Amino acid sequence: MKRTLFCLLFLAFLSLSGKAREEKVIYERYCEVVKEKATFPTGDLMMETARFFLGTPYVAGTLEEEPESLVINLHGLDCMTLVENTVALAWSVRQHPGYEGYASVLKNMRYRDSGNVTLDYTDRLHYTTDWMYENEKRGYLIMTSNMLCKVRVKVGL
């Protein structure tokens, strides 16, 4: 039984492209690092997740591929992909374990209509405010700025 399971996992691993294998290795290393921290409060888990990426190079334009597809890149991040991956990893560790669960969460966070079979550039949430609004609606995050200030200030421009 163990041998059969090993063979199936090995074949699944071989079926991944070289780049996907690299990302899966980083994902598995992340899971190992946070294994005992998965029960931390959400903010603490996200801090641990962000710390995991310390030393990861800044790389611009990592999502720009033709045709549009779900890009998973854990070895080079820009500002937004750092945030996306931090939230998606922390969320998936608790809610959707496994690499496929993480990929599903990331896709759902990144695209307006992630249920489409064919992803489209125009469905990607390009603007940070749009991304925050959509992902708050989906339950991935809570906008605390509304809770911090109870007094509205009118600004005349």
Side-chain angles (χ1 to χ4, degrees):
M1 177 67 178
K2 287 182 181 179
R3 185 181 173 122
T4 304
L5 183 60
F6 174 77
C7 288
L8 288 173
L9 289 172
F10 184 71
L11 288 173
F13 183 75
L14 288 177
S15 69
L16 294 172
S17 71
K19 187 174 184 305
R21 259 194 300 261
E22 272 182 49
E23 305 314 320
K24 192 164 186 177
V25 166
I26 296 171
Y27 170 82
E28 288 167 354
R29 193 176 40 164
Y30 163 77
C31 289
E32 193 61 34
V33 167
V34 299
K35 178 172 46 178
E36 296 177 15
K37 300 171 184 175
T39 59
F40 279 18
T42 302
D44 294 342
L45 178 58
M46 289 183 62
M47 288 298 292
E48 291 298 320
T49 302
R51 278 189 191 105
F52 174 80
F53 289 112
L54 283 174
T56 302
Y58 177 90
V59 179
T62 59
L63 301 181
E64 306 309 316
E65 288 192 359
E66 291 281 334
E68 185 75 18
S69 64
L70 178 63
V71 174
I72 297 177
N73 182 349
L74 298 173
H75 62 274
L77 303 165
D78 62 24
C79 301
M80 196 61 215
T81 58
L82 171 63
V83 171
E84 278 183 335
N85 281 293
T86 297
V87 177
L89 285 166
W91 183 266
S92 68
V93 162
R94 293 186 175 159
Q95 305 294 326
H96 299 284
Y99 185 75
E100 290 74 22
Y102 154 68
S104 176
V105 169
L106 184 63
K107 179 181 176 187
N108 194 38
M109 293 177 89
R110 188 175 286 163
Y111 292 93
R112 190 172 317 287
D113 188 4
S114 63
N116 282 344
V117 174
T118 305
L119 295 176
D120 187 72
Y121 177 84
T122 59
D123 285 331
R124 193 180 337 141
L125 299 169
H126 295 275
Y127 298 102
T128 306
T129 52
D130 202 18
W131 184 91
M132 291 186 306
Y133 174 78
E134 290 294 329
N135 284 294
E136 182 179 34
K137 281 192 336 188
R138 296 170 187 176
Y140 290 119
L141 51 101
I142 297 170
M143 297 299 295
T144 58
S145 59
N146 297 337
M147 296 175 210
L148 297 176
C149 183
K150 300 291 183 194
V151 178
R152 298 206 183 258
V153 178
K154 289 185 180 183
V155 178
L157 300 177

